[in-house]
Structures are given as C-alpha cells and as structure tokens.
Amino acid sequence: MPVATFVLPASLALQLLSGAAPAKPAAPAATAVSATGAKAAAPATGAKAAAPAYSQAVAEKLIGPALTEGQAYARLAELTDGIGPRLSGSEAAEAAVQWALRSFKADGVKAWTEPVKVPRWVRGEERGEVLASERTRGHPLSLLALGGSPPTAPEGLTAEVVEVTSLEELAALGGAVKGKIVFFNHTMSVAADYGRFAGLRGRGPAVAAKAGAVGALVRSLATASLRTPHTGSTRFEDGGPRIPAASIATEDADLLHRMLAGGAVRVKVVLGSSELPDADSHNVIAEVRGREKPQEIVLISAHLDSWDVGTGAHDDGAGVVMVMEAARLIAKLPQAPRRTVRVVLFMNEENGLRGARAYAEAHAAELPRHVAAMEMDAGGGRPLGVSLRAGAGGQELVRPWLKPLVALGAGTFSAREAGGADLSPMVSARVPFFGVEVDSSRYFDVHHTMADTLDKVDPQDLARSTAATAWATYALAEMPGLLVRPEPPPVPSGPPAVSPAKASGH
Ligand SMILES: [Zn+2]
C-alpha cells in the first residue's frame, strides 16, 4: 500500500455516504485511518520527507464531512425539487435567491444580496412539424424555442428549409436563404465539441436574419438524445433583424437532413415566446472573513439561474451547492484561512451575464485584491484535477497543496485553463483563475433540457467534487504565496477587429 502523508479513506467514506452507517461512527474511523497513515509516512519513506505545506487536520475537517454528510446533495434536492427551474426574472429565480440567503445564514456564513437588472424572456406555446409532401406524410418536430427568440405570428411560420453546417457556408449562400428557414446542422458528438459548435446557436440565427431568412432551426448541442431538444440563448444585434429560432432534437435534425437529400422540405413552426421588461433580481454574496489578510479575496462562484426546462440540477445547481458547502465547511474550521473566501452565486449566466457584469462593476475597486477566482459550472461529475490561469510559477506554488486531492482523483493539474462565463468580466483586471475540473463527459446529455433533473446527479460524484472544491478553495486562501496575475488579454490592434483566419478558426 502506498504511503501518503494524507490517506483519505475515500472508499470507507463513500460507503458511509451511501447511508449504510450513521454519520456518528464515521468521524472517529476516518480520523483513525488518516492518523495512522500520517504517522506511518515519515519512517516508511526512509528519507526525511518535508512536512506538508498544509495542516492534515484541516484537510480532514473539510474533506471528511464533504464526503460523508451528504449536505451538498440535500441542498441540491431543495433547489431542484423544491424550487425547480429558475430562469432569470422568474418568481422561482427570486425564490432561489431567498433560499440561498437562508441557507448561508443557517450555515453561519454571512450573506447578502446585490441588485442586478435581468432580461425577462418567457417561453410560450411552441410546436413545429415537417409538412406533408409527395415524399412524406409529415412529422411533428421536437423543439424548444431558443432563449431570446421572438415569437412567430400566431398562425405560425411556414417556409422551405435550407441546411448549412457553418456560418461560412451560410455566408456563401448569400441571398439564397431569403424567405427560408435556415437549419443549422453539425456533428457534435463529445463534450469537447460544445465550444466548436455553440456559435451556430448563439450567433447563427442573427446572421441568418441579416441574410433575409425568416426563421432558424438549430440542431441541439448534445452528446446524447432521447428526442430531447436542448435550448440555450441566441443573440440578436440591437436594432438588427430578429427571426424566430428554435433548437430541434438531434433525431429531428437527422430526419430533416435525410429528407433534404431527396428534395425540398417545408416546415411549420409556432413559437409564442415574449420579451418582458427587464426585472429586478440579485446576485447572492457570502463571505468567510480571512484571519490575516481579510482584504485579499478568494472568490468561488456558480450561477443560481437555470433554463426554464428541467430543474438545472447539473447546470448549475451542482456548482451552487458545491461552493455553498465549501463555505459552510471552511466557516466551521477552528481557525479561518489567511484570506477572505467570498462566494458569489451569480444571476443570469444563461441569458445575459448581467450578474457577472453587475458584480465586476460594483466591485471594480476591489478586483486588484481578488487574488484568485473560480466558477464551478460544468455539472456534478466526479473531480478529475485542478486547473489554473495565472502568471509564471502558478503550478509550482499550488502543487504542494494538491496531495489531499489525490485520493479524490483530482491531485493533478488539468491541461485546460481555468475560467468561467461569469468570470469573464474579471479577465481585464488580470484576476488569476483556478478550478476543479469535473468529469463532464455526460454533461451535454442533459444540458439545457427537460432531463436536467436531480436523478442525473450521482451523490458520490457530487460529494467528491464538493470535497475537492472545499479543499482547493482553502488552499488558495491559506497558502503563504500569491498567484502571479496573468498577462492582460491582447488588445485588438487596428480597425479590422477579427482577422479572417481567426474568424474561420476551428
Ligand atoms: Zn451553467
């Protein structure tokens, strides 16, 4: 058996988590095992191992309860089953704000709200069909309006379909899409493809509208489907043309593709969505004040809003409960970490990033004292590693603190750079980012669908990622050195903002 300075009895803890034994006997057992491991470490290695950079007792106090108490999952049930879908501006979104405030207070963590004006897009009636022709008796389409889509006329929109697989292909068609419904098809098959094809949903309808199209259908950005369409936001330019836009299930995209190979296809779409006036909402902020350098802030975050379908269990309920639990466990430590740990539950990540911008504006003067920031927003999968976005020497600084993450499967650095949509307004302030990378290989099976519900989250995976989040947060707040701030983003030089090479990049 390998000798580690910190031996986390993960298998034992996870057995306990499954509910076989009450929580009470767990603590002594866990302590005894890790104490034995710790005692054995120095003699067994022969050479005098340097003392760990961190306190093993603290690591046990954070990781043990995260694995055994099931608090994150219980909270996730409150948020998803209790409150449900919580699109920005909805009553449920506000209920989630109040729930988060109450929960932080119950945990003994100081919390408050900060105002955010959010867009208020509301889904209405929606349906679509492939119209009958000499080649088919017709088919219903499984679709969801994209967030931001205008409605069709009450009688619906009927037009011929034109298929494209890229914005370049759309541009090449020129005026040929005039009066047509543009169907954006693609080949997403794994989670890593999301970034590659997300532009078809985000910008495709606006580009099609400018070219004279009357509607847009986008193949769901998905890694699996049981004929479940995946929604998401689409953006139109202020003052630019807007056309009704919906996502369709991948099965229906395949059907359209097959039918288009044989000739013209006409579809009818009815969307009853509406855009109401901006609504008052809130970010929820909570804080555990640092003992030595309270002015230095380690920010951990997730987004409280979700789409209006499903209950946002993976996106982003999982991230919300991970960072809430990290704060609860850190607040319970006998001694606070050196720096302040601040939790931000952002509002409106999904269709506007208004919460992210409101935070960055309200705290602009403080951003130079944000020494690290993280957003958990890739679902509730098991932890795989730690990511960073910092200046030179970041990994060397953090590495001695990773050992407690080894037993969780997250003790190494990910090749991916840390980041998060809600952190993007902090890039120009050169805030270093960190993250706990989670297994998101199945995340896009349910992302933005009716199927993103609590049953899709594995309690043990969630507990492990929560434990890793709590430890990584503590490490950044406690380690003596500071991450070097990353280089500022490149300033676009000269009038052509984007070079043709970049615009057509993979
Ligand atoms: Zn999200």
Side-chain angles (χ1 to χ4, degrees):
M1 187 177 180
V3 180
T5 50
F6 177 79
V7 180
L8 178 82
S11 56
L12 170 65
L14 291 171
Q15 276 169 17
L16 291 165
L17 179 69
S18 69
K24 221 10 191 255
T31 310
V33 175
S34 30
T36 311
K39 282 218 175 89
T45 49
K48 280 266 188 254
Y54 53 85
S55 155
Q56 290 171 33
V58 171
E60 287 168 22
K61 282 194 168 72
L62 294 176
I63 294 174
L67 291 178
T68 56
E69 291 181 2
Q71 174 79 353
Y73 191 79
R75 283 262 160 85
L76 186 58
E78 291 173 11
L79 182 60
T80 56
D81 290 351
I83 294 174
R86 43 197 183 278
L87 187 60
S88 291
S90 65
E91 275 180 30
E94 211 41 44
V97 166
Q98 297 307 322
W99 164 83
L101 263 187
R102 279 198 311 276
S103 303
F104 279 124
K105 285 176 182 168
D107 290 348
V109 179
K110 182 183 151 198
W112 65 95
T113 60
E114 296 184 2
V116 184
K117 274 273 186 209
V118 295
R120 193 170 179 204
W121 179 85
V122 180
R123 186 180 303 281
E125 174 196 17
E126 49 192 12
R127 59 196 152 83
E129 61 182 303
V130 173
L131 295 175
S133 69
E134 66 280 6
R135 290 179 296 122
T136 179
R137 290 166 46 77
H139 294 276
L141 288 170
S142 178
L143 58 74
L144 283 173
L146 294 179
S149 169
T152 61
E155 69 276 14
L157 167 70
T158 302
E160 205 176 289
V161 175
V162 182
E163 178 178 345
V164 299
T165 56
S166 67
L167 297 180
E168 289 73 21
E169 204 180 320
L170 173 60
L173 286 175
V177 301
K178 208 162 187 282
K180 308 267 173 67
I181 292 176
V182 174
F183 160 42
F184 293 93
N185 204 0
H186 57 79
T187 56
M188 177 170 178
S189 64
V190 292
D193 288 340
Y194 184 72
R196 200 172 137 206
F197 297 120
L200 296 180
R201 185 196 72 208
R203 298 191 290 125
V207 176
K210 278 189 166 171
V214 293
L217 294 173
V218 183
R219 181 191 182 96
S220 288
L221 294 161
T223 45
S225 185
L226 288 172
R227 220 171 168 198
T228 27
H230 296 232
T231 189
S233 69
T234 195
R235 295 176 298 281
F236 295 98
E237 281 174 31
D238 289 338
R242 293 167 181 250
I243 53 174
S247 61
I248 54 173
T250 61
E251 291 90 337
D252 295 45
D254 288 337
L255 169 75
L256 279 183
H257 177 77
R258 290 193 300 271
M259 302 230 40
L260 283 163
V265 176
R266 286 168 66 79
V267 301
K268 178 179 175 183
V269 177
V270 179
L271 301 181
S273 44
S274 50
E275 190 89 55
L276 303 179
D278 284 2
D280 291 316
S281 189
H282 302 90
N283 289 331
V284 180
I285 325 270
E287 214 169 73
V288 180
R289 192 177 156 82
R291 73 170 190 278
E292 243 175 52
K293 298 175 170 179
Q295 74 284 1
E296 291 182 0
I297 294 162
V298 172
L299 184 149
I300 62 174
S301 68
H303 65 86
L304 200 48
D305 63 308
S306 76
W307 276 104
D308 56 339
V309 294
T311 57
H314 275 295
D315 188 13
D316 183 22
V320 166
V321 298
M322 284 180 207
V323 296
M324 288 177 84
E325 182 65 350
R328 183 183 78 94
L329 294 171
I330 290 169
K332 278 176 70 177
L333 292 174
Q335 191 179 45
R338 231 178 273 276
R339 305 182 182 85
T340 292
V341 172
R342 180 180 290 175
V343 185
V344 182
L345 303 181
F346 290 104
M347 183 53 70
N348 191 226
E349 187 273 346
E350 295 293 5
N351 60 333
L353 290 180
R354 301 273 190 90
R357 288 199 207 103
Y359 179 85
E361 277 169 30
H363 297 270
E366 264 183 355
L367 292 184
R369 297 191 278 107
H370 282 54
V371 300
M374 160 169 89
E375 179 167 39
M376 293 303 291
D377 185 18
R382 71 194 167 91
L384 299 177
V386 170
S387 56
L388 275 181
R389 180 178 189 278
Q395 291 199 0
E396 290 66 29
L397 192 70
V398 174
R399 189 170 285 116
W401 293 72
L402 293 188
K403 219 168 227 172
L405 300 179
V406 171
L408 297 170
T412 55
F413 286 103
S414 153
R416 294 177 62 173
E417 201 176 55
D422 288 309
L423 303 184
S424 53
M426 298 180 209
V427 168
S428 58
R430 301 177 57 199
V431 175
F433 297 156
F434 71 111
V436 172
E437 294 293 311
V438 303
D439 179 3
S440 57
S441 55
R442 303 261 59 94
Y443 179 57
F444 291 98
D445 292 4
V446 299
H447 181 253
H448 297 183
T449 72
M450 288 294 289
D452 186 5
T453 46
L454 184 64
D455 51 285
K456 307 304 185 308
V457 178
D458 181 295
Q460 296 190 357
D461 289 348
L462 182 75
R464 283 175 172 248
S465 284
T466 301
T469 299
W471 176 254
T473 303
Y474 177 83
L476 270 294
E478 178 64 15
M479 61 188 197
L482 282 180
L483 291 170
V484 172
R485 297 177 89 79
E487 288 307 308
V491 179
S493 57
V498 182
S499 73
K502 272 207 173 129
S504 63
H506 303 286

